[in-house]
Amino acid sequence: MRYQGINHVSILVRNNERARHFFVDVLGFRQHKRIPVWFVGGSGVVHAVEIPDAPMEKPLPYDVVRHAAFQVDDLQEVLARLLRASLKPYQVDMQMQQKFLTDPNDDLSYGTETVFVADYDGNLFEFVQIGRGLFVEEADLFQEK
């Protein structure tokens, strides 16, 4: 059996419109044509499941284990989008120490050289650029052989 990729990731949100704003307006995903709670980025989908009164556990500041990661072409562009939306992006090192990012031109060479951010409901996302940080030598890992 050959895997083609991850089809979708499902997340819990309290408000679908707020999730739409995060994925479409902030991150630049497309809203699925037939299913408005699916947000399409590249070849993958984030499926937002709205439960307005769901208890939302906020991840601990050092809890970067539970997250979804998006592969992007340009981390600086992602950083600029997150800051324009008044979100609080950060980087981590291998000991999970955080360095918050406050300027779109911040150097992104700290720690793993990836960028993390929590959405409005505390769901944690990582942004990865192949060819830098943990993924500096991994370009061929994501190619079909």
Side-chain angles (χ1 to χ4, degrees):
M1 178 167 52
R2 196 171 109 209
Y3 289 94
Q4 297 175 352
I6 294 174
N7 179 272
H8 73 275
V9 173
S10 180
I11 63 167
L12 179 62
V13 299
R14 285 189 170 165
N15 180 288
N16 278 336
E17 182 52 33
R18 198 168 58 179
R20 190 212 59 78
H21 171 70
F22 178 75
F23 286 104
V24 175
D25 299 335
V26 175
L27 297 183
F29 280 45
R30 296 181 329 272
Q31 196 165 6
H32 191 276
K33 291 177 184 174
R34 289 183 297 117
I35 305 167
V37 294
W38 285 8
F39 304 101
V40 182
S43 63
V45 173
V46 175
H47 175 190
V49 177
E50 182 184 56
I51 302 177
D53 58 350
M56 302 301 279
E57 248 184 67
K58 300 287 185 200
L60 298 170
Y62 56 85
D63 185 5
V64 295
V65 175
R66 293 177 290 155
H67 67 276
F70 302 120
Q71 185 173 314
V72 299
D73 292 335
D74 186 350
L75 276 179
Q76 292 293 157
E77 180 183 342
V78 170
L79 174 60
R81 285 174 170 265
L82 297 174
L83 291 171
R84 277 196 305 270
S86 299
L87 294 166
K88 297 182 183 340
Y90 60 92
Q91 293 186 290
V92 298
D93 63 16
M94 297 306 280
Q95 289 75 41
M96 302 303 159
Q97 296 297 308
Q98 295 177 342
K99 175 188 172 200
F100 281 89
L101 302 164
T102 58
D103 185 278
N105 298 311
D106 277 348
D107 177 26
L108 298 178
S109 62
Y110 178 78
T112 61
E113 295 188 37
T114 63
V115 174
F116 286 87
V117 74
D119 72 2
Y120 304 115
D121 290 304
N123 296 299
L124 189 60
F125 300 98
E126 180 181 17
F127 299 88
V128 172
Q129 183 177 333
I130 300 302
R132 67 179 302 148
L134 290 177
F135 299 91
V136 72
E137 297 176 5
E138 304 298 333
D140 64 336
L141 179 66
F142 298 95
Q143 306 279 327
E144 284 291 324
K145 297 195 182 202

